[in-house]
Amino acid sequence: MSENLKILIAGEGGQGVQTIAEIIAKAAFVGKLESLHIPNFGVEQRGGVSLAFLQISKSPIPYPKFLKADILAVLASRAVGRVEKYVGRQTKIINAIHLDTLLLERKIQTTSLNIAVLGNLAKFLSQFLSIEALEEQLHVKLADKPNYNENLNAFHLGQLLTEKDAPSHLGYYKRYLKPLVSQNNHIFFARFPYLCKGCGLCIERCPKNALSFSKVDLGVYGTPMPQVDLDKCIGCKICQITCPDCAIKVVKKQKIKKN
Amino acid sequence: MSEVLPSFPKCYKEKSWPSLFCPGCGHPIVLKMLGQVIDELAIAHKSLLALDIGCSLLAWDLFDVDTIQTHHGRTVPLAAGFKLAKPNGIIIAYMGDGGAYAIGLQSLLTSAHRDDKITVIVVNNTLYAMTGGQYAPTTLCDERTTTTPEGRNCQTAGIPFPGPETLSAMTTKNAYLARGSVLQPLVLKSYLKKALQHQIENRGFSFVEALSFCPLNWKTDAAGSIKFLEKMQNYFKVGEIKCPKISKS
């Protein structure tokens, strides 16, 4: 690994992407290394994508931007599209998108997901930073918070993650985010969060009022996506035709209906 | 089922999506129908899409079709010129109502009068959307825009400009004139298909006006946009204004 380590952490607003970037940057600074942290601000308060560009080096850092990251940590599926271009051949990927299920199994709240990723990052940073140094900064930053012990547990869990928990590839997410599919015997209904802008035209045009705004799923601008009630849906495809951005795909399973 | 992909027309450039259009804009619906028609007629390799200034230029780079950007309102003369130079090529002039009926009206009328073998698609949303919703020739009576805060006064400012009806008075019987709406996308698609076939068979001038949403400047939500468009359809009658009979011989 080169003398200048370039790290990119990507997630959703509110996940604590900038927090862990700050902890690493400060640990490096205290350890008398050069460190640089550039947060990428956007509409993250509304649930947009949040990126942290981080560099650690033993010599002065010449330029704040970089073209390819050495380490890429991805915390949320929606961030993948924004960071794809920073992936080079040497890039080590930490794909923590589905880590929340493991955390819940261990009775750790998903709010500590970022600290688990920090724990996993620690093993890549060993050339520059010791685990103790990171733990010390973690203490400085978060000791006052009520869930500090939970965060510590997540930090130790993160160091032990395997390839299965946090894959080193971006998988399906390469071009399109995985569609949200709901289906029953008659209808296959796919929605693409990457394309949906949340205009609501499909909801208004649905003749059976089968569509409504979801309280969970978000589209590309962080706006609510429509969700379908398959019991009401007749597969007329009006939503698919109306959708300006091709974010809905409906397939009527005729073969099954004939039987 | 293997990988599920969005139902894009084949001539779309997938890299460019999601598009730059606002949420709830009508342009992508018209473009989607146009894309499907280009697919069905298999003319992507010999087509040229000419875009006007305004929101229509955001269609730049959305298609895997040759695209050209013109000055404001000069899309129709460019299309006529292309057709003179390349009679077998297919030209699609895609413009907004401001470009077609205000600054580019003279070009449009002349071209229709000459019966140029081109296809013109005009997207009508009753105002200049890109510059902030100013009043346009097509603004409805009593409609509030940023420059008509008390509503358009039709006694002093004239009636909303009826595009295809005006053209029908000065075109020959060869011309194809229609008005569709994004509320009935498949009907609009059939008009677009007829218009392009008209050009492919070299029959004459073809023109489709598409009534469209502008939720940003109308300041409406989805339900309000649909309601407003229905109001527009009361004035701008949807249908084929001039459709030459095709002899099958």
Side-chain angles (χ1 to χ4, degrees), chain B residues 140-217:
Chain B
L140 297 181
C141 292
D142 301 325
E143 181 189 343
R144 283 165 195 247
T145 67
T146 45
T147 45
T148 54
E150 300 200 338
R152 175 176 177 157
N153 184 349
C154 285
Q155 288 179 340
T156 55
I159 56 164
F161 188 83
E165 286 85 351
T166 308
L167 293 178
S168 82
M170 57 190 308
T171 43
T172 61
K173 60 181 183 189
N174 297 327
Y176 177 82
L177 306 169
R179 183 189 280 127
S181 154
V182 293
L183 274 185
Q184 293 93 27
L186 293 182
V187 180
L188 176 65
K189 183 182 161 187
S190 72
Y191 294 161
L192 290 173
K193 194 168 183 178
K194 275 188 191 172
L196 277 171
Q197 259 169 348
H198 210 69
Q199 185 187 162
I200 292 168
E201 288 163 20
N202 222 7
R203 289 205 292 263
F205 185 75
S206 52
F207 179 93
V208 179
E209 182 183 295
L211 305 178
S212 166
F213 304 123
C214 185
L216 195 76
N217 289 307

Side-chain angles (χ1 to χ4, degrees), chain B residues 126-140:
Chain B
T126 74
L127 35 73
Y128 288 89
M130 184 170 262
T131 48
Q134 288 85 357
Y135 135 83
T138 45
T139 303
L140 297 181

Side-chain angles (χ1 to χ4, degrees), chain A residues 76-133:
Chain A
S77 52
R78 288 203 294 128
V80 173
R82 287 274 295 276
V83 296
E84 262 180 320
K85 62 179 175 184
Y86 295 100
V87 179
R89 273 188 211 155
Q90 307 292 324
T91 307
K92 293 197 169 107
I93 296 171
I94 302 169
N95 180 349
I97 295 166
H98 299 300
L99 200 58
D100 47 351
T101 47
L102 180 80
L103 288 179
L104 287 174
E105 270 172 31
R106 304 288 172 92
K107 305 225 162 99
I108 300 171
Q109 283 190 0
T110 49
T111 45
S112 299
L113 180 85
N114 58 337
I115 307 297
V117 173
L118 178 67
N120 202 338
L121 273 170
K123 70 181 174 195
F124 295 106
L125 301 173
S126 56
Q127 197 195 340
F128 295 88
L129 294 169
S130 64
I131 286 176
E132 289 75 33

Side-chain angles (χ1 to χ4, degrees), chain A residues 38-55:
Chain A
I38 298 191
N40 187 318
F41 278 97
V43 288
E44 58 265 34
Q45 293 95 332
R46 284 164 48 191
V49 172
S50 172
L51 306 179
F53 296 88
L54 191 63
Q55 287 190 63

